[in-house]
């Protein structure tokens, strides 16, 4: 969406986005050289498909389009429509996601949307009749309908190409071949699931309209997706960045630096988002309220929208937060990764580093001392595929419940990829979560977290699966770093950890080396002994020998402790509201006047430090205006409640956290 500002009565050149660019400077020779090196790295990483595979994808899409056209004529005939209407009956395939954006690679699936007429229902026709047609085709394998998803989808492989097929049922009797789904009127008189299905295509097309240079956008996005996957922060379902999130974040950087080339855009990406103060929303254009009355992202009206930690708003009506899955834990992980990448990019610009360093894989299975292991098994491949999809869609709830039940003091880092033990028969995979004390939480000797009820709730929600069959099993256990199964490591070889230096000091050294523990979780098959000795080189550098405390000797659970009355009254709690809260509402209100004044100071040619100040101005300049009383009151109550809960936790007695047996100790 183009906008323009007015300076001294003259209309300034148009720009894309809700604010003017930070810099319109073009690339230098060094920038061109770095871009060439970056592109070579992306090619060597195998991120581009071959010409043969590109042709195969086109053939598959053409064959799929023929199939759904035949399907809609058959159901029209079965329902007794006239010969003329049967002849005119039509359905159409649209693509979206990485394929439509032009950043797909080998083995990437194709996100597709089938748009059908009003007489073709989702349940009886799409998930029944079309399913039968696809099941009878030799080219189609691994056919799996997911009818109860937030956006219902049919998953399958067509000639080896993975397809995700959504369905939107329009209010039209006949679907024209030149249908334009970008028009708002296309959403009139359709169900909510169809609106969500259409949103993917509408958002993708709008992103391509809102970037100044599509080719530079594509190269940068391809790079950032590769980085996110290598660093373990690419998975929307587990609370990290998904494809549309990355696309929106990159598109905003392209708007702020319209003449930059990919190497510059990658560097600016991390420079900007390292400084971004969430929950400031990232938006490519002003939020369109629309005329159809559909709900849009608006924290002034929707209490749930105020709880979003990392709002990344889609540009097509109805505007939504594409990153609602992000939790406090996953946001912390991503923030740390932004900071690391920013430091590498600064070294790149000073010729002190190479691009390969940016893409070094994150050593997840060496980064934590304690892990949760969620194992999923089924008897055959078909049952396993359904069971795994169901459990995986609920893993995010486990992360959120751990955060909630430990009052944000225990950070849960989900590993975004499944791990498979190829030596086991039948369907099997495992998901892992790293556990550690949240940053800034003080250590208290003997304090423990009880998450038994948390895991029980998760198990209960998973066991509500309506299509459960015997053999579909779920096992949640605790494993220490040294007990991780060998199959999680490349080649099945466990890396050798160097011994940490030990410094012996007097017992009067200030503070213990550890304080919080999560105890009594089920162990992995490798087991554990009753006693476990850890060398600690933390605060005070003491070498400690600790015997684990069984759950039976404690008799105190989290559920019991949190129900005790609080002694701190609301009237005694005072806190200040972050400027980011104010800016969230100001973005929605569209008050850009201060933005324009701040950004018209002539930022072109500024140094990196000055650009960071400009980015900071983008967020803080509008924060000086007042919030609505409702929004401030809500945030004040939320902050007060958090303070009360943390004060409550500080007084907890040593507790237990058991699923069956075993101990998690010494949270790093």
């Amino acid at each position: 969406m183009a906008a323009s500002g007015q300076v001294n009565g003259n209309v300034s050149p148009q720009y894309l986005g809700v604010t003017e660019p930070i810099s319109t400077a073009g690339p230098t020779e060094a920038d061109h050289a770095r871009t060439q090196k970056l592109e070579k790295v992306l090619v060597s990483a195998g991120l581009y498909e071959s010409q043969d595979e590109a042709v195969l994808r086109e053939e598959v899409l053409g064959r799929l389009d023929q199939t759904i056209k035949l399907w809609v004529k058959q159901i029209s005939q079965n329902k007794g429509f006239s010969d003329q209407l049967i002849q005119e009956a039509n359905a159409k395939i649209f693509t979206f996601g990485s394929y439509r954006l032009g950043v797909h690679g080998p083995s990437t699936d194709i996100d597709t949307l089938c748009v059908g007429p009003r007489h073709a229902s989702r349940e009886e026709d799409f998930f029944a009749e079309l399913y039968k047609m696809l099941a009878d085709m030799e080219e189609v394998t691994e056919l799996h309908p997911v009818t109860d998803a937030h956006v219902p989808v049919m998953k399958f492989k067509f000639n080896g190409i993975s397809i995700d097929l959504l369905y939107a049922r329009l209010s039209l009797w006949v679907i024209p071949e030149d249908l334009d789904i970008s028009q708002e009127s296309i959403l009139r008189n359709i169900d909510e699931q169809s609106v969500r299905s259409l949103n993917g295509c509408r958002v993708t097309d709008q992103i391509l309209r809102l970037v100044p240079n599509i080719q530079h956008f594509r190269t940068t996005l391809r790079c950032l997706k590769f980085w996110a996957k290598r660093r373990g922060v690419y998975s929307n379902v587990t609370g990290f960045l998904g494809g549309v999130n990355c696309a929106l974040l990159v598109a905003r950087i392209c708007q702020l630096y319209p003449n930059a080339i990919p190497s510059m855009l990658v560097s600016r990406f991390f420079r900007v988002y390292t400084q971004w103060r969430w929950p400031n929303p990232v938006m490519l254009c002003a939020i369109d309220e629309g005329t159809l009355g559909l709900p849009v992202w608006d924290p002034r009206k929707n209490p749930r929208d105020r709880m979003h930690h990392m709002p990344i708003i889609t540009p097509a009506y109805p505007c939504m937060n594409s990153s609602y899955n992000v939790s406090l834990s996953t946001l912390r992980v991503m923030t740390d990764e932004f900071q690391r990448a920013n430091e590498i990019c600064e070294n790149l610009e000073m010729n002190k580093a190479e691009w390969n360093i940016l893409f070094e894989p994150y050593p997840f299975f060496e980064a934590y001392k304690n892990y949760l292991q969620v194992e999923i098994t089924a008897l055959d491949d078909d049952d396993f595929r359904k069971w795994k999809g169901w459990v995986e869609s609920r893993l995010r709830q486990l992360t959120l419940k751990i955060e909630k039940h430990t009052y944000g003091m225990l950070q849960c880092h989900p590993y975004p990829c499944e791990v498979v033990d190829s030596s086991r028969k039948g369907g099997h995979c495992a998901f892992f979560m790293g556990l550690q004390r949240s940053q800034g939480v003080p250590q208290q000797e003997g304090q423990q977290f009880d998450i038994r009820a948390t895991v029980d709730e998760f198990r209960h929600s998973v066991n509500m699966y309506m299509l459960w069959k015997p053999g579909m099993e779920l096992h949640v256990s605790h494993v220490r770093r040294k007990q991780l199964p060998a199959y999680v490591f490349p080649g099945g070889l466990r890396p050798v950890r160097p011994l940490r230096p030990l410094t012996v000091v007097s017992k009067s050294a200030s503070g213990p080396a550890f304080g919080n523990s999560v105890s009594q979780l089920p162990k992995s098959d490798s087991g554990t002994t009753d006693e476990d000795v850890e060398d600690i080189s933390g605060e005070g550098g003491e070498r400690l020998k600790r015997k684990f405390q069984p759950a039976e000797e404690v008799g105190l659970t989290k559920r019991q402790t949190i129900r005790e009355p609080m002694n701190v009254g609301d009237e005694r709690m005072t806190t200040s509201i972050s400027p980011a809260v104010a800016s969230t509402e100001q973005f929605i209100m569209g008050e850009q006047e201060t933005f324009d004044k701040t950004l018209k100071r002539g930022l072109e040619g500024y140094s990196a430090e000055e650009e960071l100040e400009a980015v900071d101005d983008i967020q803080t300049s509008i924060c000086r205006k007042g919030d609505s009383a409702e929004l401030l009151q809500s945030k004040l109550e939320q902050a007060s409640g958090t303070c009360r809960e943390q004060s409550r936790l500080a007084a907890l007695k040593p507790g237990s956290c058991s699923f069956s047996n075993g101990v998690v100790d010494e949270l790093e």
Side-chain angles (χ1 to χ4, degrees), residues 325-337:
N325 278 346
V326 173
S327 66
L328 286 174
S329 291
T330 55
L331 178 57
R332 290 190 194 102
V333 172
M334 288 187 283
T335 302
D336 291 342
E337 287 300 319

Side-chain angles (χ1 to χ4, degrees), residues 490-502:
L493 299 177
R494 186 184 306 275
V496 179
R497 294 180 56 86
L499 294 176
R500 289 187 290 184
L502 180 64

Side-chain angles (χ1 to χ4, degrees), residues 596-630:
D596 297 337
K597 291 180 180 178
T598 302
L599 295 173
K600 290 172 185 173
R601 297 182 302 174
L603 295 174
E604 189 168 336
Y606 270 30
S607 65
E609 291 76 16
E610 291 169 327
E611 285 188 13
L612 289 180
E613 294 178 3
V615 173
D616 190 59
D617 287 342
I618 288 179
Q619 302 174 86
T620 59
S621 59
I622 58 175
C623 298
R624 301 187 183 103
K625 300 181 181 181
D627 283 274
S628 67
E630 179 185 1

Side-chain angles (χ1 to χ4, degrees), residues 3 9 12 21 75 144 175 197 230 291 293 357 401 403 434 462 503 517 524 526 565 576:
S12 64
I75 62 173
H144 173 45
I175 303 298
S197 298
R230 296 285 284 180
T291 60
I357 300 177
K401 289 179 184 297
E403 287 183 357
V462 169
T503 303
S517 64
S524 66
S526 59
S576 60

Side-chain angles (χ1 to χ4, degrees), residues 70-105:
L70 177 61
W71 159 72
V72 77
K73 291 184 183 297
Q74 286 186 358
I75 62 173
S76 299
Q77 185 177 16
N78 294 339
K79 294 185 178 184
F81 288 101
S82 65
D83 293 341
Q84 180 180 357
L85 189 55
I86 294 173
Q87 185 177 0
E88 294 176 349
N90 189 32
K92 187 171 173 59
I93 288 289
F94 293 87
T95 61
F96 62 100
S98 62
Y99 185 80
R100 176 69 180 91
L101 290 172
V103 295
H104 61 286

Side-chain angles (χ1 to χ4, degrees), residues 143-155:
L143 182 60
H144 173 45
V146 186
T147 59
D148 57 350
H150 186 65
V151 181
V153 60
M154 193 118 65
K155 295 176 175 286

Side-chain angles (χ1 to χ4, degrees), residues 272-478:
V272 169
Y273 293 120
T274 294
Q275 298 296 315
W276 200 267
R277 289 190 291 178
W278 307 102
N280 277 344
V282 172
M283 301 190 301
L284 301 186
C285 59
I287 289 182
D288 184 4
E289 296 289 343
T291 60
L292 302 180
L294 297 175
V296 298
W297 187 81
D298 188 346
R300 297 172 303 171
K301 301 177 181 178
N302 307 321
R304 181 174 297 181
D305 293 345
R306 302 171 195 164
M307 301 297 105
H308 293 166
H309 304 296
M310 191 183 187
I312 304 174
I313 311 304
T314 56
Y317 176 77
C319 299
M320 305 174 184
N321 176 22
S322 64
S323 55
Y324 63 88
N325 278 346
V326 173
S327 66
L328 286 174
S329 291
T330 55
L331 178 57
R332 290 190 194 102
V333 172
M334 288 187 283
T335 302
D336 291 342
E337 287 300 319
F338 288 156
Q339 180 63 45
R340 170 193 175 270
N342 183 52
E343 293 173 359
I344 293 174
C345 288
E346 289 177 353
N347 289 331
L348 275 165
E349 294 181 343
M350 295 185 292
N351 296 320
K352 295 182 179 180
E354 298 294 335
W355 284 111
N356 288 330
I357 300 177
L358 182 66
F359 305 116
E360 288 181 350
Y362 179 73
F364 178 82
F365 293 106
E366 301 175 47
Y368 296 93
K369 185 181 294 186
N370 298 294
Y371 296 86
L372 280 184
Q373 177 177 341
V374 181
E375 283 193 287
I376 305 167
T377 57
L379 295 180
D380 58 61
D381 291 341
D382 186 57
D383 286 349
F384 174 70
R385 190 163 49 249
K386 297 176 182 178
W387 180 233
K388 187 194 75 170
W390 170 261
V391 176
E392 186 178 9
S393 68
R394 272 127 188 95
L395 285 176
R396 171 178 167 267
Q397 296 300 321
L398 179 58
T399 303
L400 295 176
K401 289 179 184 297
I402 290 175
E403 287 183 357
K404 178 181 178 181
H405 293 171
T406 61
Y407 307 97
M409 299 178 71
L410 188 61
Q411 180 175 324
C412 183
H413 178 180
Y415 187 59
C417 304
E418 64 188 72
V419 186
V420 179
D421 183 1
S422 57
S423 65
R424 298 184 57 167
K425 296 182 180 180
H428 167 271
C429 74
F431 293 92
F432 289 84
M433 300 181 182
L435 297 177
Q436 71 174 6
R437 186 174 42 253
S438 297
Q439 295 179 2
V441 176
Q443 300 185 24
Q444 296 185 24
E445 184 175 3
Q447 188 180 41
Q448 299 174 325
F449 298 103
D450 184 346
I451 57 173
R452 286 176 298 183
T454 305
V455 174
D456 287 343
E457 286 185 20
F458 171 70
R459 284 172 169 165
H460 179 71
S461 66
V462 169
N463 289 333
M464 294 176 66
Y465 186 45
M466 300 298 295
L467 302 178
W468 184 89
K469 296 180 180 179
M472 294 182 175
E473 300 295 339
L474 171 72
H475 180 63
V476 182
S477 61
H478 152 249

Side-chain angles (χ1 to χ4, degrees), residues 463-532:
N463 289 333
M464 294 176 66
Y465 186 45
M466 300 298 295
L467 302 178
W468 184 89
K469 296 180 180 179
M472 294 182 175
E473 300 295 339
L474 171 72
H475 180 63
V476 182
S477 61
H478 152 249
V479 289
R480 299 190 61 132
R481 181 168 53 206
K482 59 187 177 182
Q483 298 168 322
L484 285 168
Y487 64 80
V488 306
F489 300 104
L493 299 177
R494 186 184 306 275
V496 179
R497 294 180 56 86
L499 294 176
R500 289 187 290 184
L502 180 64
T503 303
V504 179
V505 297
S506 64
K507 294 183 179 180
S508 61
S510 60
F514 66 96
N516 296 43
S517 64
V518 182
S519 65
Q520 293 301 99
L521 313 183
K523 287 299 178 182
S524 66
D525 295 337
S526 59
T528 184
T529 59
D530 291 337
E531 293 190 355
D532 193 272

